């Protein structure tokens, strides 16, 4: 896929997302230009425990799962996001954010990866985006907590 098509796909995805759809055209274009396409044919470890992420991912296809290991050695899923959803917003706003769970891509997955620096700039220029992101994070934390209890 050439650069023009990738940019058009990124713009279309951003305009579909409830989180970014109300952003001004300039902000959407800034995000779209920064987007990196990631494709995984097989399940792939994206981040290990202790890693520092550098991007927010938007799921075009496939999914992302974050899990921790229990004391008994079992995997406990604490976050699972699929098509049209976002993963890893927190790191855009918390500079020392260290991953406390493994993050895996599913097989046959495609993501748009947006660098934290660009996301943070766009959010500071468009404060309504910060409110949407905080609401999304709060929802993830609520779901994560119910998995652990």
């Amino acid at each position: 896929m050439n650069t023009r098509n990738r940019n058009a796909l990124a713009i279309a995805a951003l305009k579909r997302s409830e989180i970014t759809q109300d952003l001004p055209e300039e902000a959407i274009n800034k995000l779209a230009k920064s987007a990196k396409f990631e494709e995984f044919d097989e399940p792939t470890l994206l981040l290990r425990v202790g890693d520092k992420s550098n991007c927010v991912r938007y799921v075009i296809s496939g999914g992302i799962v974050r899990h921790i290991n229990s004391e008994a050695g079992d995997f406990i899923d604490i976050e699972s996001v699929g098509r049209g959803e976002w993963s890893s917003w927190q790191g855009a706003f918390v500079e020392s954010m260290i991953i406390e769970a493994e993050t895996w891509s599913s097989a046959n997955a495609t993501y748009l990866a947006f660098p934290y620096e660009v996301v943070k700039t766009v959010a500071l220029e468009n404060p309504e985006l910060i409110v949407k992101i905080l609401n999304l994070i709060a929802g993830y934390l609520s779901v994560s907590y119910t998995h652990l209890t």
Side-chain angles (χ1 to χ4, degrees):
M1 182 183 312
N2 66 35
T3 303
R4 179 183 288 167
N5 289 343
R6 287 177 182 240
N7 194 53
L9 181 59
I11 289 171
L14 290 164
K15 287 183 175 184
R16 274 194 314 270
S17 169
E18 288 183 25
I19 301 297
T20 54
Q21 67 187 4
D22 295 326
L23 287 172
E25 205 69 30
E26 179 182 319
I28 286 179
N29 288 332
K30 185 182 287 189
L31 285 169
K33 286 179 185 171
S34 75
K36 176 185 170 194
F37 279 77
E38 299 178 327
E39 296 179 292
F40 301 96
D41 295 328
E42 298 179 12
T44 303
L45 180 63
L46 299 173
L47 295 166
R48 290 181 167 78
V49 173
D51 283 352
K52 189 172 180 181
S53 181
N54 62 1
C55 65
V56 177
R57 287 184 173 92
Y58 178 80
V59 180
I60 294 175
S61 63
I64 295 173
V65 175
R66 219 177 244 161
H67 65 255
I68 58 174
N69 294 320
S70 71
E71 290 180 15
D74 299 320
F75 292 125
I76 301 172
D77 290 346
I78 60 170
E79 179 184 21
S80 180
V81 294
R83 185 174 184 214
E85 296 180 304
W86 297 87
S87 179
S88 303
W89 283 107
Q90 300 91 317
F93 304 102
V94 181
E95 291 181 20
S96 61
M97 182 79 176
I98 302 295
I99 304 302
E100 298 296 332
E102 286 189 344
T103 304
W104 285 83
S105 170
S106 70
N108 303 314
T110 304
Y111 311 114
L112 288 170
F114 299 93
Y116 282 152
E117 303 82 38
V118 177
V119 171
K120 186 174 184 177
T121 298
V122 169
L124 291 173
E125 292 169 350
N126 300 277
E128 67 280 5
L129 179 60
I130 295 171
V131 173
K132 289 182 177 186
I133 293 167
L134 288 173
N135 284 326
L136 182 68
I137 292 170
Y140 286 155
L141 292 175
S142 174
V143 169
S144 295
Y145 179 75
T146 58
H147 285 315
L148 298 175
T149 57

